[in-house]
């Protein structure tokens, strides 16, 4: 069955003289871009450039806030309170929103990064605090995140629109969590495997877990990490396969 699907990527994750991934190529392939907001990666110039690329390619611009942890790329858990997490998410969103305005666009959604993403999926207090803060900032903002966790439940309670995502370059455990990056099978590098996963997710709503069982995800968006080795090749192969299968690629927000 043909259907519409979004293809998102974590982008704008360089800062200063340091570059992460090939943003020029990736912005031309995705329909939504999760742009780092300065805490785990990114800086004002990188954010401004990302906003301009989003406008140039007709890509939906999303904020990608994370823990204040450049050294760990936002992938280490930090002992911040729910209130601090909420304030820091809005702080980062506000920075990107201001930069986006100067480029003639706006932030349409928010997707947390790394360890914060996983915390909000499991920690009800943090999820509620963050979503209440986002609703106060802009009730029309959309939140992108994992299916069926605390973040999605809190979105339903706060009236925030929620979109589910599934990863085509990461392995899944049987319970729907991602295979830890330190374990075998965490990353998908083979373009043909990524294509198979993308088509399976779009056409059936689920994907095979690491142990062979099936995980039901029902995604609104498929994600590729911009820092995954070979990310451009994966994105190019996936986009071509989805187009060839007749699926419409369009932003979810």
């Amino acid at each position: 069955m043909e259907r519409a699907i979004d293809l998102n990527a974590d982008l704008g994750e360089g800062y200063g003289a340091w570059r992460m991934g090939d943003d020029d190529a990736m912005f031309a392939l995705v329909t939504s871009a999760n742009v780092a907001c300065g805490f785990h990666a990114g800086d004002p110039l990188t954010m401004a450039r990302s906003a301009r690329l989003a406008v140039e390619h007709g890509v939906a611009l999303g904020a990608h806030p994370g823990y204040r942890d450049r050294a760990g790329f936002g992938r280490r858990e930090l002992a911040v309170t729910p209130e601090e997490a909420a304030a820091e998410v809005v702080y980062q969103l506000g920075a990107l929103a201001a930069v986006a305005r100067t480029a003639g666009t706006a932030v349409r959604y928010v997707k947390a990064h790394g360890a914060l993403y996983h915390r909000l999926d499991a920690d009800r207090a943090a999820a509620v605090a963050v979503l209440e803060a986002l609703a106060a900032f802009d009730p029309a903002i959309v939140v992108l995140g994992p299916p069926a966790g605390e973040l999605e439940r809190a979105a339903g309670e706060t009236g925030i629109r929620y979109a589910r995502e599934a990863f085509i370059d990461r392995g899944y455990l049987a319970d729907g969590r991602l295979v830890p990056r330190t374990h075998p099978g965490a990353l998908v590098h083979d373009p043909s495997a990524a294509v198979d996963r993308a088509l399976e997710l779009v056409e059936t709503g689920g994907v095979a877990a690491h142990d062979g069982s099936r995980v039901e995800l029902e995604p609104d968006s498929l994600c590729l990490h911009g820092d995954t080795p070979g990310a451009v090749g994966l994105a190019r192969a996936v986009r071509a396969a989805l187009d060839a299968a007749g699926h419409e690629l369009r932003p979810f927000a």
Side-chain angles (χ1 to χ4, degrees), residues 187-201:
L187 298 177
V188 176
H189 298 289
D190 180 9
S192 63
V195 164
D196 289 344
R197 290 168 63 82
L199 291 173
E200 184 179 5
L201 283 161

Side-chain angles (χ1 to χ4, degrees), residues 16-143:
W18 184 71
R19 294 290 177 261
M20 169 69 81
D22 187 346
D23 282 358
D24 287 338
M26 290 296 288
F27 267 98
L29 294 167
V30 300
T31 47
S32 296
N34 323 311
V35 173
C37 304
F39 273 22
H40 78 278
D43 59 29
L45 280 175
T46 303
M47 286 190 278
R49 185 169 183 275
S50 296
R52 291 193 298 270
L53 284 169
V55 171
E56 178 183 345
H57 293 287
V59 168
L61 183 65
H64 197 39
Y67 282 134
R68 192 190 298 264
D69 180 25
R70 282 192 189 273
F73 197 61
R75 289 180 175 153
R76 300 182 296 188
E77 187 61 60
L78 299 185
V80 301
T81 65
E83 294 75 20
E84 186 176 3
E88 293 200 341
V89 165
V90 172
Y91 182 96
Q92 293 173 80
L93 169 58
L96 184 62
V99 171
R101 185 172 179 179
T102 68
T105 189
V107 177
R108 289 155 63 172
Y109 68 94
V110 176
K111 172 190 166 180
H113 168 80
L116 180 60
Y117 179 98
H118 296 298
R119 178 179 177 182
L120 297 180
D121 185 43
D123 183 335
R124 174 174 172 76
V128 170
V130 166
L131 285 174
E132 287 179 345
L134 291 176
F137 177 87
D138 180 4
I141 203 82
V142 184
V143 170

Side-chain angles (χ1 to χ4, degrees), residues 130-196:
V130 166
L131 285 174
E132 287 179 345
L134 291 176
F137 177 87
D138 180 4
I141 203 82
V142 184
V143 170
L144 178 64
E150 293 297 344
L151 191 62
E152 182 170 13
R153 282 187 280 276
E157 296 168 6
T158 56
I160 288 284
R161 182 183 155 204
Y162 193 82
R164 291 179 164 197
E165 75 170 341
F167 295 91
I168 54 181
D169 60 356
R170 293 293 309 276
Y172 279 91
L173 299 172
D175 63 2
R177 293 178 298 127
L178 297 178
V179 176
R181 285 179 174 270
T182 54
H183 292 196
L187 298 177
V188 176
H189 298 289
D190 180 9
S192 63
V195 164
D196 289 344

